[in-house]
Amino acid sequence: MRHLIEIAHPARAITIADPLLDYCEQILGTDHPDTLLLRHNLAVAYYDAGQIDEAILLRAQTLADRERVLDTHHRHTLLSRGNLAIAYQETGQASRAISIYEQALTDGRPVLGADNPLIKIWHDALARLRAQSDPASGGSVGVSLIDAFLDSYAQEHRCSAMD
């Protein structure tokens, strides 16, 4: 499935992974690491296919399960939190994205370190969103640049961060 996403075939990945996720949940259980990883990758496929609402649902479910199973400070949980914030940002749900970015930074700095690229991305995205929500600050300048950077970084690191 990861290969299909990487070669820009998210619709095919969804066709394969959707029933596979149901099977994994039944056989392995919803808390099994392979089930959590498959759900994460399916959310990525939905996101890449432009089905953001479905991606948000899966990302939120994956985050909740990873928080419960792995802990709020586990690397995979932090990645899920950041991905959910990006999806909320993409859909214009700034207040939700801001709240999740704040939590990602609070939980992520001690685990990943202040110089980690994800921490820097989340910090910059949070600053942009805060600036956007305050019209007096003129924060809309450069928003497309950070969005492009986030998309580029997510494309390069979404799967490798999970390995």
Side-chain angles (χ1 to χ4, degrees):
M1 180 171 140
R2 204 163 100 181
H3 176 70
L4 288 171
I5 296 169
E6 289 172 357
I7 62 170
H9 291 297
R12 182 74 176 128
I14 291 167
T15 302
I16 293 168
D18 221 355
L20 184 58
L21 179 60
D22 291 338
Y23 178 78
C24 284
E25 288 175 343
Q26 291 173 4
I27 302 302
L28 301 175
T30 57
D31 295 346
H32 192 278
D34 291 341
T35 304
L36 295 173
L37 179 59
L38 181 59
R39 189 178 308 116
H40 167 82
N41 286 336
L42 181 58
V44 169
Y46 274 120
Y47 186 85
D48 287 353
Q51 298 179 37
I52 307 299
D53 291 338
E54 291 86 351
I56 286 174
L57 290 173
L58 284 174
R59 285 179 175 186
Q61 182 181 358
T62 302
L63 174 58
D65 289 344
R66 283 181 167 170
E67 285 176 335
R68 183 176 40 78
V69 173
L70 300 175
D71 187 42
T72 58
H73 296 90
H74 190 279
R75 295 179 62 86
H76 294 177
T77 305
L78 295 169
L79 180 62
S80 289
R81 187 172 293 117
N83 285 344
L84 182 59
I86 290 169
Y88 281 136
Q89 180 180 2
E90 179 76 18
T91 59
Q93 299 179 57
S95 63
R96 283 186 169 175
I98 287 170
S99 174
I100 294 171
Y101 278 131
E102 288 172 341
Q103 190 65 50
L105 288 168
T106 298
D107 293 344
R109 278 189 187 111
V111 176
L112 303 173
D115 292 335
N116 183 282
L118 283 175
I119 296 298
K120 291 178 180 182
I121 289 170
W122 296 338
H123 179 270
D124 290 346
L126 178 59
R128 295 282 184 198
L129 283 171
R130 285 180 175 157
Q132 281 179 329
S133 65
D134 180 8
S137 71
S140 62
V141 177
V143 171
S144 60
L145 178 63
I146 190 67
D147 288 341
F149 182 66
L150 285 171
D151 289 345
S152 171
Y153 187 87
Q155 288 285 69
E156 293 175 11
H157 294 89
R158 71 169 157 251
C159 292
S160 64
M162 298 300 299
D163 296 335

